[in-house]
Amino acid sequence: MSTAQVEQILEDPAHSVRERLAEAATDEGVLRRLANDPHPLVRASVALNDAVPVDVLQTLAQDGRARVRSAAAASRRLPYEALTPMANDRSVEVQWRVLVSNPERLDLAAEIAEHPDTMNADQARTQLQHPEDFVWPQVDHRGIDRGSRDH
């Protein structure tokens, strides 16, 4: 795609068009611009893009919209220390995504098991009781097995 075409998409009034660019872009500058898009679904798509720089992903993990924070938690690329406070996010959607997208983080499951939301707490307790049912070898974007890393 030419620079002019990318610029045209970045200015498109339909957020769904910008979302598609956020899903497919590999250019860091384009992803950084899309991470500041006014529409939360565009920002959420950026968070799920494996090419997004980690510093941008960490910023999206603190976004004002739960949908964006949830996508960041689901990305599996957040550093250990950035994911930890998300277990206590004000949104149960974000807590859920932290729990199910990072099953090897039993410390977070233990935290969420104490939360008042029944669905999240029950899932967390199940993951704690039977971690082998939830953790499998998971290779990240660098080829590192994330399912067995010691944190």
Side-chain angles (χ1 to χ4, degrees), residues 91-101 112 119-120 123:
S91 166
V92 294
E93 175 188 351
V94 173
Q95 295 168 18
W96 175 261
R97 191 55 56 198
V98 165
L99 183 63
V100 301
S101 296
I112 294 170
M119 185 174 78
N120 286 353
Q123 177 67 28

Side-chain angles (χ1 to χ4, degrees), residues 2-3 14 16 32 43-44 49 53 67 75 77 83 87-88 90 92 98 119 122 125 127 135 140 145:
S2 73
T3 302
S16 60
R32 286 183 183 281
R43 297 191 309 276
N49 184 320
R67 177 66 183 95
S75 75
R77 294 184 54 237
L83 191 60
N88 290 307
R90 65 185 178 271
V92 294
V98 165
M119 185 174 78
D122 287 348
R125 284 190 288 275
Q127 285 181 215
V135 179
D140 74 8
D145 179 352

Side-chain angles (χ1 to χ4, degrees), residues 77-142:
R77 294 184 54 237
L78 278 174
Y80 183 87
E81 64 280 355
L83 191 60
T84 301
M86 296 179 82
N88 290 307
D89 193 276
R90 65 185 178 271
S91 166
V92 294
E93 175 188 351
V94 173
Q95 295 168 18
W96 175 261
R97 191 55 56 198
V98 165
L99 183 63
V100 301
S101 296
N102 303 278
E104 73 284 356
R105 291 289 307 270
L106 297 179
D107 60 319
L108 301 181
E111 181 76 30
I112 294 170
E114 301 301 319
H115 289 187
D117 181 75
T118 307
M119 185 174 78
N120 286 353
D122 287 348
Q123 177 67 28
R125 284 190 288 275
T126 300
Q127 285 181 215
L128 288 167
Q129 291 170 355
H130 304 285
E132 69 281 359
D133 293 343
F134 298 95
V135 179
W136 58 93
Q138 298 168 355
V139 178
D140 74 8
H141 70 286
R142 296 164 298 182

